[in-house]
Amino acid sequence: MKKILAILLVLVLVPISGFGSAKSEIEEIFYEIPVSAFSRYPADNFTVPLMLINKGDKEIKVQNITFALSDGTKILEKDLEETLNPSLLKGLGNNEIRDKIGIVLPEEKSVVKAKEFLDKAKTMEKGEERTGNIEAAWLLLMNKDHYTETEETEKILSHSKIFYFTIHLKDLDKDIEPVDFIPINIDMVISNSDGSTYTISQTTTLFYLNSLPSQWGWYPGDGHMHTAWSDAYFQSITSRRNDAYNKNLKWIIITDHAGDSQHTSQPRLEWNEWSSYNTDCNTAQNIYPYITVCPGEELATIEGTGGSHLLSYKNNSYVSSYGNKQTLINNVYAAGGFGIIAHPYNSSFPWTDWYTYPQPATSPSFRGIELISHGYVVNDSQLADWDYYLRSHIANTMKDPNHRFCVGLSNSDAHLPLTLGTNMTYIYTGSSFPPGTDRPGVYNALERGRATASSDGSLLVHKITTGGTYLPGYYMQKSSAGYITVNVYAQCIANISTGYADIKIVTSDGTVVTDRVNNQTIVNKDYSIYVSHDTYVRVQVTFYNSQSGAFSYCFSNPTFIDFLPYNQ
């Protein structure tokens, strides 16, 4: 694990007067203060990070920082006296730095629109309309990033300093219930080496949102994120756990980049750190209220761009990187784990020929792919690759005693703070309680494909209700051709007053149902489809929220239907 004195935040700074704006631009300093941060019920605090880089050639000092409500009431004040050493990055403009280290600013029109929604919400009583305006503003201001892994990125980050501040709900001097928002003013006093001082000021909006959508037995989580054990710098496993809890996630898998003890130029998890890494995961998992914290890894065929990446889940020993793609698969299998192909369509780290590899029902092979990763959602052509693979190997799935297939997941690939809580996977455990300390329960659901992928926390669950109840990842037998009923339940992450849900039901024969439901946040609808041979049924739902202009994407994993003769 390479020690680096830096951490990158997905923060936004927007020049709109009085709303998420800086009141002063300082040539010698690069700073990022988030225009928004959010937590979900029942979290009781917000985390607000601040990032600074001294671009000049003289030492400067952060003296003090104050957080206050819009009426001036102070809620937090800290005397820091933190020194920022010169970085000699003065030649780089602030936007150039943002681009190189992966900070994405929201469009100016999005910030203006968000302000309009919040101004409306201030005048409204609690209710669906007020909730819709607040959620639309949150969607418009949601943190984004395009994290890059280059030597230049690390050089810039090595000169940065980050400060974290926790704002407790009880300190906000008002009763906060979801859905609500709280503007806070942040003032940071900086002193120069000659004793002169100046103040950096900005307004940041805290969003307190509802808990994530729920259905009995389904629990949201994230199976791809990084910490200081590789290249997420001073993001500890415990801080990941705390952020996940605040975003209402019930399980996470830490997947730090693995090395092989011979390639140490990049920050990588090495074999002699595996035991301590597991201890850190155990420590984080034992924090109450419990969420599952699993130790995993991300393997690479080569260092740097151009390599392909494989997530390792459930491995009981360290797994080394490097080699060809099949070598990675074999390494994971030998360690008792199963592999998920990470961001297969990422142009920097592609694995676009994944569908030419052996069926997961044959070992060793990979077990699934990320359909959604790091904000990227597969397009129709890439979904066709998934259907081609499912269809081509359907006989192997039926023959396999465990009925394995290529599972589709959604993960954040978070390297940066504030990026959890959007891309996520819901798993079905069949329990009234979230998995807590039950790691096998998480692995079992993922490995069996009892999961649905979501781009932003919207929930999709389909079930076949003919002759029983069959969920994603289930296998059912049918003796003769006929109609079956497919129930589609989908709930958008944000209230939809105007918009739609586009629904597709897909089988091995292609798309058999297309439907549009207008102006509903929740869809709960039965469809009748005809099946006559071995096939699968999967569902995809796209929500469109016309208030924010945001799209939400959900993909359920397939349910397999086996006709006589069975298991053939």
Side-chain angles (χ1 to χ4, degrees), residues 324-375:
N324 61 36
K325 297 170 186 174
Q326 189 61 49
T327 296
L328 301 189
I329 293 170
N330 294 345
N331 289 351
V332 172
Y333 182 76
F338 61 94
I340 303 294
I341 295 175
H343 39 67
Y345 298 102
N346 184 318
S347 59
S348 296
F349 310 103
W351 194 327
T352 53
D353 64 344
W354 65 267
Y355 55 87
T356 66
Y357 279 70
Q359 155 74 2
T362 61
S363 297
S365 187
F366 66 90
R367 192 66 185 83
I369 62 169
E370 289 183 330
L371 299 174
I372 302 171
S373 178
H374 210 71

Side-chain angles (χ1 to χ4, degrees), residues 43 83 169 293 356 366 393 479 558:
T83 298
L169 264 64
V293 181
T356 66
F366 66 90
H393 296 285
S479 59

